[in-house]
Amino acid sequence: SLPTSGIFWNPTLRNILIREEIDIVHTHQAFSAMGHESLWFCSIYGEYRTCFTDHSLFGFADASSILTNKILKWSLANVNHVICVAHTSKENTVLRSGVDPKNVSVIPTAVDCAKFNPPPISPDTNKIRIVVISRLVYRKGMDLLIDVIPQACERFPNVEFIIGGDGPKRVEIEEMRERYQLHERVEMLGSVPHSLVRDVLCRGHIFLNCSLTEAFCIAIVEAASCGLLVVSTEVGGVPEVLPPDMIDFSDPNPDDLCDAIAASIAKLDTVKPHEIHERVKKMYNWHDVAERTERVYDRMMLQQPTTFIYKLYNYYSIGSWFGVILCGIASVFYLWWSFLDLVNPPHTIERAPPFPHRDFLAAQKRKRSSLPSSSSSSSSSSSSSSSSSS
């Protein structure tokens, strides 16, 4: 796809790889054209290790899924490793792409829990607020939400809804609010910047996720980190995300969702938001994700590069006619990359200065070691001031 198609993007990508002395190319998302093309170029050339992270679930019957799955087979035919965010996502990716399951790891997404912490004082339970923050699209279950809100408002007189997000289903939600005269009980916030998501979550008691398909759902982790109970449809990889005492599941129908909301409301008096936050902080953190990803990288670097003929065989095995087309395209781009090596030899490309890892780590260590001393000094100063005042 323009402007990232091979003839435009390939020379720039090659310069970046050589200048930065790249060993591993790691791309994300099944819908990223630039990601797929970069993965393909680097797999063809053979000098680089390639990794792909899949964050989505796809079906096998509709036209969009069939096309996406075919592209994924092409893109991952020679990839070194694949990372998925849940075991359900791993099964889905293996079935769609034909990748060897031994070359697929499961590493969940994390949350910066320091930015998603509960409020000092929990919201009053006289009015129970249910928060929905999502893209207002069909896949996120907005049609289901439109049916759930009137039933929940009729069944629970003290329940209010706070809906953040924007999308094509917003008009239908506003029409539902108008039809049932729920202006005082359904608050529409529109698009919410990520920096303000925590403030919206802290206004509520329960987070509602109505998704029809979901590989992981980072939103429910953010909500749990803020101390909210979660009600969610039991789809995709969502059952793997939180322990049972933090989340109530339902089938994707309005009656079952209302029953799950009732179960969460009954547990509100026993909820301790700060304890939930601490548990989520231990379960999901970026340091753990980085360590597990680094182990994948180390494993990839131990793999021996394969020959170009072997890569062509992998492309040919995708399909009788599609495989032949891929072999032809791969050969053209291999020759194109070789031509670039002649026109602009790698030794003529200036190398970027290396990142000062040792200085950076030493600075981080000094920063961490200074934190306890600063806190102790502040406590000593406060104690001295209190003694002087006395």
Side-chain angles (χ1 to χ4, degrees), residues 30-316:
F31 282 121
S32 172
M34 180 181 289
H36 281 299
E37 291 173 1
S38 301
L39 201 66
W40 197 47
F41 297 149
C42 297
S43 298
I44 291 173
Y45 199 60
E47 186 178 338
Y48 306 98
R49 274 71 171 182
T50 52
C51 183
F52 174 75
T53 296
D54 198 359
H55 298 267
S56 304
L57 296 178
F58 289 91
F60 300 89
D62 58 288
S64 175
S65 296
I66 292 172
L67 178 61
T68 304
N69 296 343
K70 205 66 176 178
I71 293 174
L72 197 66
K73 281 187 177 182
W74 151 69
S75 185
L76 303 186
N78 289 298
V79 76
N80 292 96
H81 206 85
V82 176
I83 296 174
C84 295
V85 294
H87 290 87
T88 302
S89 176
K90 175 180 177 178
E91 295 175 5
N92 183 263
T93 301
V94 168
L95 289 173
R96 288 161 48 215
S97 64
V99 176
D100 187 350
K102 296 179 181 178
N103 291 330
V104 183
S105 300
V106 176
I107 303 177
T109 308
V111 167
D112 187 357
C113 291
K115 296 180 179 178
F116 290 92
N117 53 334
I121 301 175
S122 300
D124 187 8
T125 55
N126 290 329
K127 288 287 186 180
I128 298 172
R129 296 181 180 88
I130 299 176
V131 179
V132 179
I133 299 181
S134 171
R135 287 182 289 117
L136 307 185
V137 296
Y138 170 78
R139 191 176 71 84
K140 293 296 184 178
M142 291 302 107
D143 291 328
L144 186 58
L145 180 66
I146 291 170
D147 293 333
V148 167
I149 290 177
Q151 289 191 29
C153 289
E154 181 180 2
R155 186 171 171 180
F156 311 108
N158 61 335
V159 162
E160 297 177 351
F161 284 85
I162 302 173
I163 302 175
D166 206 350
K169 292 291 182 179
R170 178 175 178 174
V171 175
E172 297 180 33
I173 297 174
E174 291 178 343
E175 289 176 350
M176 174 274 299
R177 184 175 65 167
E178 182 75 26
R179 187 183 314 118
Y180 291 95
Q181 297 297 308
L182 296 175
H183 299 84
E184 296 182 358
R185 300 182 64 182
V186 179
E187 182 180 355
M188 301 288 294
L189 301 179
S191 181
V192 180
H194 192 260
S195 58
L196 300 179
V197 168
R198 182 257 175 192
D199 296 336
V200 176
L201 290 173
C202 289
R203 294 175 56 192
H205 304 85
I206 297 170
F207 182 82
L208 178 60
N209 172 50
C210 300
S211 293
L212 303 180
T213 174
E214 201 75 67
F216 183 80
C217 193
I218 194 68
I220 67 175
V221 181
E222 295 173 346
S225 182
C226 290
L228 276 70
L229 286 177
V230 177
V231 174
S232 175
T233 48
E234 193 171 6
V235 296
V238 175
E240 304 176 33
V241 178
L242 294 174
D245 61 316
M246 293 186 189
I247 186 169
D248 288 298
F249 290 110
S250 79
D251 293 331
N253 65 73
D255 295 333
D256 209 21
L257 266 174
C258 284
D259 292 339
I261 292 173
S264 291
I265 291 174
K267 295 190 295 185
L268 283 178
D269 292 335
T270 62
V271 171
K272 298 179 179 179
H274 291 277
E275 289 186 6
I276 294 177
H277 171 77
E278 291 300 322
R279 291 171 62 189
V280 173
K281 186 198 272 188
K282 293 177 181 177
M283 287 188 288
Y284 297 104
N285 66 83
W286 286 112
H287 295 289
D288 179 58
V289 171
E291 289 177 3
R292 294 165 71 174
T293 306
E294 189 176 1
R295 287 198 291 269
V296 170
Y297 290 162
D298 293 338
R299 177 181 170 185
M300 290 167 56
M301 292 305 297
L302 295 175
Q303 298 177 13
Q304 295 298 321
T306 56
T307 63
F308 182 64
I309 299 299
Y310 179 79
K311 297 177 188 294
L312 290 180
Y313 173 78
N314 288 339
Y315 288 132
Y316 181 75

Side-chain angles (χ1 to χ4, degrees), residues 314-369:
N314 288 339
Y315 288 132
Y316 181 75
S317 63
I318 293 178
S320 56
W321 61 272
F322 188 57
V324 172
I325 295 174
L326 290 180
C327 287
I329 297 174
S331 300
V332 169
F333 277 106
Y334 185 82
L335 294 174
W336 171 242
W337 197 296
S338 300
F339 173 75
L340 292 175
D341 284 343
L342 293 174
V343 175
N344 188 14
H347 68 270
T348 63
I349 299 176
E350 182 181 2
R351 301 306 194 266
F355 183 80
H357 291 91
R358 291 184 179 179
D359 296 340
F360 175 77
L361 293 175
Q364 291 294 102
K365 188 176 181 179
R366 288 195 300 270
K367 183 179 179 181
R368 287 194 298 268
S369 62

